[in-house]
Amino acid sequence: MDFSDMFVTFWTFSLCLAFIVWIPVEGRPEVIGSTQAIIASPGDDVILPCHLSPEFDVQELTVEWSRPDLKPDPSDRLSRVAYVHLYRGGREVPDMKNPVYISRTELFVDQLEHGNISLKIMNVTLADQGRFRCLVPKLKSRVKFAIVELVVEPNSDKTVTTEMPLHSRNLQTPDPMDETDVKGVRANWIAVISSVVVFCIVLIAIVCAYLFKQRCQNPNHPKYDEVHASSTPLPA
């Protein structure tokens, strides 16, 4: 294989690699939550917004809502797998649910086909304050979860209550600086930038090597003439 064939092969391979790396950024759905805390008062019904963007049907997938900041009870071996809400196999799974949330949570099942996985919590209490994680474990994406913070303030005048499902177009798009929702996206961008940098370095090295080779093989090059002139015997 000569140098030109090697150059074409390397160029084709690099383009394919860049395309493969770029696919997760552009085409695959990501779990998106609210970038602002949801504020409610005790006794309110509140919705923790979470959706997939672009829209993606999750009716056949598992959707998990949990409390990552709650420490498991050492005396209860099942507390390590307790969920705020668990949707699996097309229905809610109450057996693995945290007892304090039984009959208090629900998903908008008719909106799952549109990627709306928001959680409704009824009769909010002060104990509900904290971080909630929304996770789609089998989603083919690098961003499978989002964190939504709930703040419960007595006599708060900034409650977020509704009896209607939140559509994905009404949910808040995460801020680019949000460390939870863009962790996977940032990783994708780093991979793309790294690939581009490596490609440019290798390409420059190949071009330089090619030019050097051409320069050395050019009979009209000054150094070439000087070498041959010095080796040619003078006429007697």
Side-chain angles (χ1 to χ4, degrees), residues 14-92:
S14 300
L15 289 179
C16 292
L17 179 62
F19 178 74
I20 293 174
V21 174
W22 185 258
I23 288 177
V25 179
E26 290 295 324
R28 297 187 180 181
E30 299 171 353
V31 177
I32 306 296
S34 175
T35 59
Q36 297 181 352
I38 306 302
I39 303 176
S41 295
D44 288 340
D45 293 346
V46 66
I47 291 178
L48 304 182
C50 193
H51 72 287
L52 276 72
S53 179
E55 287 189 5
F56 188 79
D57 189 353
V58 296
Q59 294 180 97
E60 303 300 324
L61 298 181
T62 298
V63 179
E64 301 175 358
W65 278 89
S66 59
R67 295 283 304 275
D69 52 351
L70 284 184
K71 295 182 179 180
D73 184 357
S75 61
D76 184 4
R77 62 185 182 86
L78 295 179
S79 65
R80 294 182 179 274
V81 292
Y83 296 96
V84 173
H85 193 95
L86 177 62
Y87 174 90
R88 179 186 295 166
R91 62 182 181 86
E92 181 185 354

Side-chain angles (χ1 to χ4, degrees), residues 4 37 66 74 107 114 122 214:
S4 60
S66 59
L107 297 178
H114 302 297
M122 280 79 77
Q214 292 294 103

Side-chain angles (χ1 to χ4, degrees), residues 25 28-36 48-55 65 115-119 132-136 139 141-148 166-176 178 180-185:
V25 179
R28 297 187 180 181
E30 299 171 353
V31 177
I32 306 296
S34 175
T35 59
Q36 297 181 352
L48 304 182
C50 193
H51 72 287
L52 276 72
S53 179
E55 287 189 5
W65 278 89
N116 184 2
I117 51 179
S118 302
L119 180 70
F132 290 76
R133 183 176 70 171
C134 175
L135 170 67
V136 184
L139 183 66
S141 172
R142 294 187 180 183
V143 185
K144 299 181 180 182
F145 74 93
I147 300 295
V148 181
L166 294 182
H167 295 278
S168 59
R169 62 176 178 271
N170 296 327
L171 299 181
Q172 192 164 8
T173 301
D175 188 271
D178 183 75
T180 300
D181 295 324
V182 300
K183 186 181 297 182
V185 177

Side-chain angles (χ1 to χ4, degrees), residues 109-167:
V109 180
D110 59 336
Q111 288 292 315
L112 292 177
E113 62 178 319
H114 302 297
N116 184 2
I117 51 179
S118 302
L119 180 70
K120 181 177 180 179
I121 303 179
M122 280 79 77
N123 192 22
V124 170
T125 68
L126 292 175
D128 292 328
Q129 178 167 296
R131 299 164 67 242
F132 290 76
R133 183 176 70 171
C134 175
L135 170 67
V136 184
K138 294 185 179 181
L139 183 66
K140 295 182 179 180
S141 172
R142 294 187 180 183
V143 185
K144 299 181 180 182
F145 74 93
I147 300 295
V148 181
E149 183 177 2
L150 174 62
V151 177
V152 183
E153 299 179 351
N155 303 321
S156 172
D157 58 353
K158 297 182 180 180
T159 58
V160 180
T161 61
T162 181
E163 295 297 328
M164 298 298 293
L166 294 182
H167 295 278

